[in-house]
Amino acid sequence: MVKISVLQHAPSVHLPARPGDPTPTTRNLDPLMHPFARARERNRALNAAKMDKLFAKPFVGALEGHIDAVEVLCKKPGSLSAVASGSWDGGVILHNVSERKHIRRIQGAHKGKVSGLCFAQDDRLLSCGVDSKIKLWDASPQDDITEQRPLNEYPGKSPFNSIDHHRSDPLFATASNIVQIWDETKSAAISNLTFPTSTETITSVRFNLSETSVLGSIGSDRTFTLYDIRTGKAERRVVMQMSSNALAWSPTFPTNVLLASEDHNLYTFDVRQLKSPTHIYKGHVAAVMSCDWSPTGLEFVSGGWDRTVRIWKEGQGTGPEVYHTKRMQRVSSSIFTADARFVLTGSDDGNVRIWKAKASEKLGIITARERAAIEYRDTLKDRWKHDNEVGRIQRNRHLPKPVYQAAKLKRTMLDARAVKEERRRKHTRAGERKPNAERKKLVITEQT
């Protein structure tokens, strides 16, 4: 009798475990059996980088309604879709971003421009303007979206430039010629915070997200100041080379603060050591007007006078994502949404625009198979980012012609300045000591 040996395979090993899963495959992992694996992987990384640029369509839509420049934007804490915008026409609009509809529309909320907005507790909205008034509005959805009467009104003595609400208490801070602390239940300021010998106009004020009794402000005399509402006075102040236009506290590192400067750069400071910035972010070719952190603390957005929006990775001072359109004018405000997937910007043309935080991200339902492919391509791009061709494609940014020419001119001027400084050091006694690092030149003096 002939003995026959039979190879038996269980069919279940070769079938997907669940509906929709990829069919399992067996593979010999011996690298000697796959001599072209590395070349094949590089080719896939190159294609992934190209596809990223090919499908980059960051613009999602626009929220209309204002008839003048949008000056300020703020998002509602704990909500993914509620955003308020204030304009130079004195109007305030509450938007539902997901449905692209108006929740409330307040025409003529202030005489002159609306300079500050922030949400209070219990579906309420605080606004301030150059008419020296602070108004408290009902921000809950209603049938009549054009209801005009404020819940409360707080008169001030000078025009307000910024407002921010305490995270848990019924307190808010305003910026004018001084920083004032207000209680929602009182009609006058309960505390005035100022630095001795200070005469500047405060342009922006923000409460720290973690240490909620600490707040920071920036002023027209090139200063950044830290206050403590428990002591009722300014604690520390630094004077810089150029003035700042906006500040934002990091949501994940309570001691980190981001400043948008008039010198085209952004700076992050650790408030425990204010002698020099921890990072410098270079890319804009005009004054940076606004900045805001992503809720993850890993990236932030900035909008500038050069009519571009840039999304930066924390710790990487160059090569941000650049968004622009032909109709978008100077960007005066920019914020991240609470889910870190979208960015909203307000500009001089009266539009609030919605952008994707990741330009090539697919919107809509993504299957498990698609998600696995996306993660695989991202891993490949990260692994091969130092390859010449893959890196060149990833670093490439399309810029409008005026921005490109301005960047080219700026680069030429900076190179000429560096050559001049080197020659001065070479032929004078200035060369006897080491040159100062750029971050050491930013802060002129620190005062306590």
Side-chain angles (χ1 to χ4, degrees):
M1 190 173 183
V2 180
K3 187 178 179 182
I4 301 173
S5 296
V6 180
L7 292 175
Q8 288 187 334
H9 298 282
S12 59
V13 177
H14 304 283
L15 295 173
R18 292 172 299 184
D21 281 4
T23 304
T25 55
T26 54
R27 189 163 177 266
N28 190 337
L29 298 177
D30 183 5
L32 296 176
M33 299 292 292
H34 304 282
F36 301 111
R38 191 164 174 78
R40 190 161 55 238
E41 188 176 86
R42 181 196 175 273
N43 204 33
R44 286 177 183 168
L46 190 62
N47 288 340
K50 290 177 179 178
M51 285 172 65
D52 214 26
K53 298 295 180 185
L54 197 65
F55 292 107
K57 292 179 177 154
F59 182 66
V60 177
L63 305 173
E64 299 176 354
H66 290 293
I67 59 174
D68 208 336
V70 179
E71 172 70 12
V72 61
L73 289 169
C74 77
K75 61 189 174 213
K76 183 178 179 181
S79 171
L80 290 175
S81 57
V83 170
S85 60
S87 171
W88 279 68
D89 59 13
V92 174
I93 299 178
L94 268 75
H95 305 273
N96 186 324
V97 177
S98 57
E99 297 180 5
R100 300 190 207 174
K101 292 180 181 176
H102 293 168
I103 301 172
R104 298 290 302 278
R105 183 168 182 170
I106 307 166
Q107 296 280 20
H110 292 271
K111 291 180 181 176
K113 76 168 182 176
V114 178
S115 55
L117 284 174
C118 69
F119 279 92
Q121 290 137 350
D122 304 326
D123 279 338
R124 293 175 303 161
L125 178 71
L126 280 161
S127 67
C128 67
V130 294
D131 58 356
S132 305
K133 289 180 181 177
I134 306 164
K135 296 183 181 181
L136 182 66
W137 307 90
D138 181 11
S140 58
Q142 294 181 1
D143 295 334
D144 183 11
I145 66 168
T146 58
E147 182 67 32
Q148 301 288 326
R149 289 188 296 275
L151 300 174
N152 205 347
E153 195 170 308
Y154 310 89
K157 294 182 180 178
S158 56
F160 294 108
N161 296 319
S162 179
I163 189 169
D164 194 37
H165 199 278
H166 194 279
R167 191 162 189 181
S168 55
D169 297 343
L171 302 174
F172 59 91
T174 57
S176 53
N177 53 356
I178 57 173
V179 173
Q180 293 179 304
I181 305 297
W182 302 71
D183 191 320
E184 290 178 14
T185 60
K186 295 180 173 63
S187 60
I190 60 172
S191 174
N192 292 340
L193 306 178
T194 184
F195 198 88
T197 72
S198 171
T199 56
E200 87 275 24
T201 299
I202 311 295
T203 52
S204 183
V205 62
R206 289 289 178 269
F207 276 101
N208 191 300
L209 299 173
S210 179
E211 191 63 49
T212 50
S213 58
V214 174
L215 60 136
S217 75
I218 49 175
S220 58
D221 61 349
R222 303 169 295 156
T223 58
F224 166 67
T225 314
L226 286 171
Y227 307 88
D228 194 327
I229 61 176
R230 293 169 296 191
T231 59
K233 62 179 184 179
E235 299 295 334
R236 296 164 76 191
R237 182 169 82 153
V238 290
V239 182
M240 293 177 285
Q241 294 282 0
M242 299 279 275
S243 61
S244 300
N245 294 316
L247 84 154
W249 292 97
S250 171
T252 53
F253 294 97
T255 57
N256 280 14
V257 64
L258 173 69
L259 300 181
S261 178
E262 196 75 24
D263 64 359
H264 311 179
N265 298 336
L266 294 109
Y267 303 95
T268 51
F269 281 89
D270 190 323
V271 293
R272 297 168 295 185
Q273 185 70 28
L274 286 170
K275 290 182 180 177
S276 63
T278 54
H279 282 101
I280 302 176
Y281 299 87
K282 299 180 178 181
H284 283 281
V285 294
V288 189
M289 302 305 296
S290 63
C291 60
D292 186 46
W293 285 94
S294 161
T296 61
L298 299 175
E299 52 189 0
F300 57 87
V301 61
S302 66
W305 210 248
D306 55 4
R307 304 192 293 274
T308 63
V309 179
R310 303 189 186 225
I311 297 178
W312 309 76
K313 285 195 169 25
E314 198 272 332
Q316 295 183 18
T318 55
E321 286 288 343
V322 185
Y323 296 163
H324 56 86
T325 65
K326 286 184 179 179
R327 296 181 181 179
M328 184 167 70
Q329 299 303 309
R330 295 172 297 206
V331 181
S332 54
S333 54
S334 54
I335 58 170
F336 259 95
T337 55
D339 58 356
R341 291 183 64 204
F342 298 97
V343 165
L344 281 87
T345 60
S347 50
D348 274 6
D349 55 294
N351 270 342
V352 176
R353 288 181 172 83
I354 309 170
W355 310 82
K356 288 188 277 190
K358 191 176 179 184
S360 58
E361 183 185 11
K362 178 188 173 185
L363 298 181
I365 298 170
I366 298 177
T367 64
R369 197 166 186 171
E370 282 178 309
R371 173 64 59 200
I374 291 168
E375 290 173 357
Y376 175 60
R377 286 198 295 268
D378 288 343
T379 306
L380 283 180
K381 285 184 291 183
D382 189 57
R383 186 181 297 167
W384 287 89
K385 64 185 176 185
H386 300 296
D387 181 84
N388 287 340
E389 206 167 348
V390 176
R392 181 183 60 79
I393 292 169
Q394 285 184 300
R395 288 190 303 271
N396 183 53
R397 301 284 184 268
H398 179 266
L399 294 172
K401 192 173 181 181
V403 176
Y404 177 79
Q405 296 291 354
K408 191 176 175 183
L409 177 63
K410 182 181 173 184
R411 201 159 45 244
T412 305
M413 292 166 66
L414 290 174
D415 289 346
R417 187 186 300 174
V419 169
K420 185 176 181 180
E421 182 64 29
E422 185 58 37
R423 287 174 178 166
R424 182 185 287 118
R425 289 178 50 74
K426 190 175 180 181
H427 298 289
T428 65
R429 293 187 66 181
E432 293 177 0
R433 50 192 173 84
K434 290 182 179 179
N436 284 337
E438 188 171 352
R439 65 177 65 185
K440 300 286 185 184
K441 300 176 186 176
L442 179 68
V443 174
I444 297 174
T445 182
E446 183 178 359
Q447 302 166 345
T448 55

